[in-house]
Amino acid sequence: MGQQVRDGFVELYGTEPEGVWSAPGRVNLIGEHTDYNDGFVMPFALPHTAVAAVSRRTDGVLRLHSADVEGGIVELTLDALTPESDKSWTAYPAGVLWALREAGHPVTGADIHLSSTVPSGAGLSSSAALEVVVALAVNDLFELGLQRWQLARLCQRGENVYVGAPTGIMDQTASACCEDGHALFLDTRDLSQKQIPLDLAAEGMRLLVVDTQVKHSHSEGEYGKRRAGCEKGAALLGVDALRDVPYGELDAALARLGDEEEVVRLVRHVVTEDERVERVVKLLESGDTRAIGPVLIEGHASLRDDFRISCPELDLVVDTAVASGALGARMTGGGFGGSAIVLANVADVDSLTKAVEEAFAAAGFTAPRVFEAVPSPGARRLS
């Protein structure tokens, strides 16, 4: 896709770009809604990417175009960028430049042409891929010297403040830092990382992503409510973040919350989910990969019953897959739609896929999109 995006840039702007970059979407193996609680996550990069052809400008102008969105070139003035002023797709790349400039980095403008194969609204971080590919390109072209984790932080700030979506740090870090053939064990408090080998094919397994085709928008309410509830729980328990509540002391902590029923549910999910991430890391490092299946199922139940961010389509994927012989399954991403993951033996992939498709048809749901998730490289320069 790199050459196609390069050719598109030439057609739009009348000159060759200075370079072409890519950044992937991600799927989260385990660790949902823990990132903004300073907890643990374990994503890996998908082969689906956002690709950007970019050249520098010196006049304070940002020109943006997407091959995936109808319309012409959008021209913005960097000095006029204002948080939460833009409700279109351009807020994501513009927010990156806003965050870089706000942090004092000498960015003087750019011409950018983008295209992405990351499914939008599927819970696979299509927005983070857009942000990271722009950040990496600008970092390279303007020789800012920022590390990958620093770029992720700035992308998160752009999404939090400029876009107005209260997301955690996982998505941007996964897109920027994941490595081919590995899952990323990330401590979101200090951004310490450990690459965990994940070669399911070698063990006769596949991880399927089932995109329910149900779209969501994190910046519209429910995500923010969950985050605020977690912050309330931390405050009531007298800790900086829910990550600081020890798993072995969870029952006592919940008892201290009294009749704060909603907060109790949110706290229970976050603390048990952090423990699930650590359990999966140990299982993968010990070579007992198949044993992560039941942990995925546990995680889905917690997201469904405690965090209450599942939906009928996601539950149907998980229930059908497990009943049809899957090793494990759970929803992935922010919730309220999007995708589920299914861990399966190779021999069962076709029958599982058919079972899920038939269940959706019987329920009257839109047909899901099913594809294999293979741990892929993080963001990089293509040319």
Side-chain angles (χ1 to χ4, degrees):
M1 191 167 71
Q3 186 61 48
Q4 185 178 355
V5 174
R6 176 180 286 275
D7 292 344
F9 184 100
V10 173
E11 184 177 339
L12 286 163
Y13 299 117
T15 183
E16 287 281 339
E18 293 186 80
V20 180
W21 291 258
S22 76
R26 65 95 189 100
V27 67
N28 194 22
L29 184 63
I30 193 74
E32 222 64 78
H33 288 269
T34 50
D35 58 345
Y36 54 80
N37 289 290
D38 282 2
F40 305 122
V41 295
M42 200 173 185
F44 62 84
L46 291 168
H48 306 73
T49 60
V51 177
V54 185
S55 286
R56 288 168 290 184
R57 296 180 67 96
T58 59
D59 57 0
V61 171
L62 172 62
R63 294 198 293 180
L64 297 165
H65 185 271
S66 171
D68 311 312
V69 180
E70 289 188 11
I73 296 170
V74 178
E75 184 169 310
L76 304 169
T77 302
L78 292 181
D79 286 344
L81 296 180
T82 305
E84 298 195 57
S85 61
D86 184 352
K87 299 303 179 183
S88 74
W89 71 270
T90 56
Y92 295 98
V96 171
L97 271 72
W98 172 85
L100 285 163
R101 283 165 56 85
E102 188 204 35
H105 299 291
V107 179
T108 56
D111 287 338
I112 301 175
H113 174 54
L114 292 151
S115 185
S116 179
T117 58
V118 185
S120 177
L124 303 174
S125 298
S126 58
S127 58
L130 281 183
E131 294 159 0
V132 170
V133 74
V134 169
L136 184 60
V138 171
N139 185 55
D140 286 354
L141 290 176
F142 287 92
E143 298 180 344
L144 303 180
L146 295 168
Q147 300 296 310
R148 296 298 183 95
W149 68 268
Q150 293 173 303
L151 293 177
R153 280 285 193 210
L154 287 164
C155 288
Q156 182 202 16
R157 178 157 178 77
E159 186 157 350
N160 288 173
V161 180
Y162 191 85
V163 178
T167 55
I169 190 63
M170 174 181 67
D171 296 350
Q172 294 86 357
T173 306
S175 186
C177 300
C178 279
E179 293 182 3
D180 193 20
H182 292 75
L184 178 68
F185 177 38
L186 174 68
D187 183 334
T188 65
R189 169 163 283 168
D190 60 11
L191 294 191
S192 59
Q193 305 174 17
K194 187 175 185 180
Q195 301 287 344
I196 308 294
L198 184 63
D199 187 355
L200 297 174
E203 300 186 54
M205 290 179 283
R206 296 286 188 272
L207 190 75
L208 303 178
V209 174
V210 182
D211 177 3
T212 65
Q213 308 282 350
V214 177
K215 305 301 182 186
H216 60 72
S217 177
H218 286 168
S219 56
E220 292 178 4
E222 293 299 325
Y223 186 107
K225 290 179 184 177
R226 301 304 190 282
R227 182 165 185 163
C230 290
E231 291 169 352
K232 180 179 179 180
L236 290 172
L237 292 171
V239 294
D240 291 336
L242 293 183
R243 180 264 185 69
D244 297 313
V245 179
Y247 177 73
E249 299 174 18
L250 176 58
D251 289 344
L254 297 181
R256 287 167 54 198
L257 293 172
D259 59 359
E260 293 277 358
E261 180 184 350
E262 182 176 359
V263 176
V264 165
R265 289 190 287 99
L266 298 178
V267 170
R268 182 165 53 221
H269 166 73
V270 172
V271 176
T272 58
E273 186 79 346
D274 273 337
E275 188 273 338
R276 281 186 284 272
V277 177
E278 292 185 294
R279 213 184 328 158
V280 166
V281 171
K282 291 176 182 177
L283 289 169
L284 291 178
E285 289 184 328
S286 69
D288 195 6
T289 306
R290 290 177 185 275
I292 73 173
V295 188
L296 303 184
I297 298 171
E298 285 178 33
H300 183 77
S302 183
L303 290 162
R304 180 192 65 210
D305 300 336
D306 277 343
F307 230 68
R308 299 188 181 180
I309 57 170
S310 190
C311 66
E313 291 86 352
L314 288 168
D315 292 340
L316 185 59
V317 174
V318 172
D319 293 344
T320 302
V322 172
S324 302
L327 299 169
R330 74 173 190 89
M331 61 154 285
T332 187
F336 311 106
S339 299
I341 56 174
V342 177
L343 181 66
N345 291 310
V346 172
D348 297 331
V349 166
D350 289 344
S351 60
L352 283 170
T353 300
K354 183 179 179 182
V356 171
E357 291 172 342
E358 290 178 346
F360 268 56
F365 295 152
T366 300
R369 178 186 179 211
V370 184
F371 59 91
E372 184 181 351
V374 180
S376 300
R380 61 201 187 279
R381 186 168 186 163
L382 300 179
S383 65

